[in-house]
Amino acid sequence: MGAGDLARAALGALLELVYPPRCAACGEPAEREPFCGVCAGAVDPVPAGCARCGLPGPESPCGGCRASPPAFEAVVAGGLFGGPLADAIHAFKYGNRPALARPLGAWLAGRAALPPGALVVSVPLARGRRIARGYDQAALLADALARAAGASGRRRRAALARTRETPPQVGRSREERARNVAGAFTAAPAVAGHHVVLVDDVVTTGATADAAAAALRRAGARSVVVVALARAE
C-alpha cells in the first residue's frame, strides 16, 4: 500500500472520530459499524453450496470445480452479494470512501476465521484503476482484516503483483473473465512454504481469485484460501 493509501485511511479514521458513525449502506446513524441494525439484519449469509468455490447451490463440488478445479482450496465470504452489503461495497469501491475499509475489515474478521499462521495477501488492483480511484480497496481491506484478526505481522503487501493491465471484469462471461486475467499475476518467493489468505472485495465467477491463487501456488504457496466481503450467486 502506498503513501497515498495510508494518508487517505488515516484521514478517514480521524474524521470518524469527529463525526458519529453512520451505516455504510444507508447512511443512517449506526451504533455498531459498518451497518445500522436494520441493514445488519438484511445482510444475507452465503447459502450452502460448493465447498471449493463457494457458489451457492445443490452441488458440491459444483460442475465448474469438477471440470476445472481452481488453484484455491476454498472461498469464505462475509455474506451474499446484494442488499445492504452490495451498497456498502459499492460505496467503498466507487464512492471515494476508503475509510470504510476499517469497519468492513473488522466485520469480515468476525465472520471469517483466518487459518492459523497464514500470510495475508490482497488481489492487486490494475494500475490504471488504482490511479483513477486513488486507492486499492482490496489492499486496504486486507490491512484492516489483518489488524482486526491480530495478524498484522503476517500481512504481505508486496507478495502479489499484476504483470499486465486487465480491463474490468464487470459484464463479461465466465469464459471471458478467465481469459482476461489468465497469467495476469506474479507472486514473490516470500510466499513459498506458507499457507496464504487471499483477500478481495467480491468473488463472482472466481476467475480473478483463481488466476491470483495460481500465481501464489507457482511461487510455492502451500495452499490458498480466498476471503471476501461477498460471494455473488
Side-chain angles (χ1 to χ4, degrees):
M1 184 172 62
D5 290 333
L6 289 170
R8 282 174 176 269
L11 177 60
L14 178 61
L15 290 175
E16 288 175 357
L17 291 175
V18 177
Y19 297 99
R22 293 190 174 273
C23 177
C26 70
E28 291 297 312
E31 291 185 5
R32 183 176 182 180
E33 294 179 296
F35 300 109
C36 66
V38 173
C39 288
V43 174
D44 292 323
V46 180
C50 179
R52 189 73 176 263
C53 72
L55 181 68
E59 296 184 328
S60 183
C62 67
C65 288
R66 287 199 304 270
S68 180
F72 51 78
E73 275 62 45
V75 172
V76 180
L80 191 65
F81 186 76
L85 183 54
D87 291 340
I89 293 171
H90 191 275
F92 178 37
K93 291 177 68 172
Y94 307 117
N96 194 30
R97 298 181 65 187
L100 287 178
R102 182 187 58 76
L104 288 173
W107 176 84
L108 182 57
R111 290 178 167 237
L114 304 188
L119 303 183
V120 181
V121 176
S122 58
V123 176
L125 189 64
R127 181 174 180 273
R129 293 200 291 281
R130 185 188 180 284
I131 291 173
R133 189 170 299 165
Y135 56 95
D136 181 333
Q137 79 280 348
L140 295 178
L141 180 65
D143 290 344
L145 173 64
R147 283 196 301 271
S152 292
R154 291 183 270 115
R155 171 75 169 106
R156 297 294 184 269
R157 294 176 180 84
L160 192 64
R162 283 189 183 252
T163 56
R164 59 180 174 83
E165 291 289 289
T166 57
Q169 295 281 63
V170 176
R172 297 176 183 271
S173 68
R174 177 182 293 271
E175 293 75 16
E176 289 171 339
R177 285 171 179 249
R179 288 195 298 270
N180 188 38
V181 294
F185 300 96
T186 186
V191 303
H194 293 278
H195 298 290
V196 174
V197 169
L198 180 63
V199 180
D200 206 357
D201 45 28
V202 181
V203 173
T204 305
T205 65
T208 299
D210 186 21
L216 291 164
R217 294 303 301 270
R218 286 194 299 270
R222 294 176 63 186
S223 68
V224 180
V225 171
V226 180
V227 175
L229 287 171
R231 180 62 167 97
E233 292 186 274

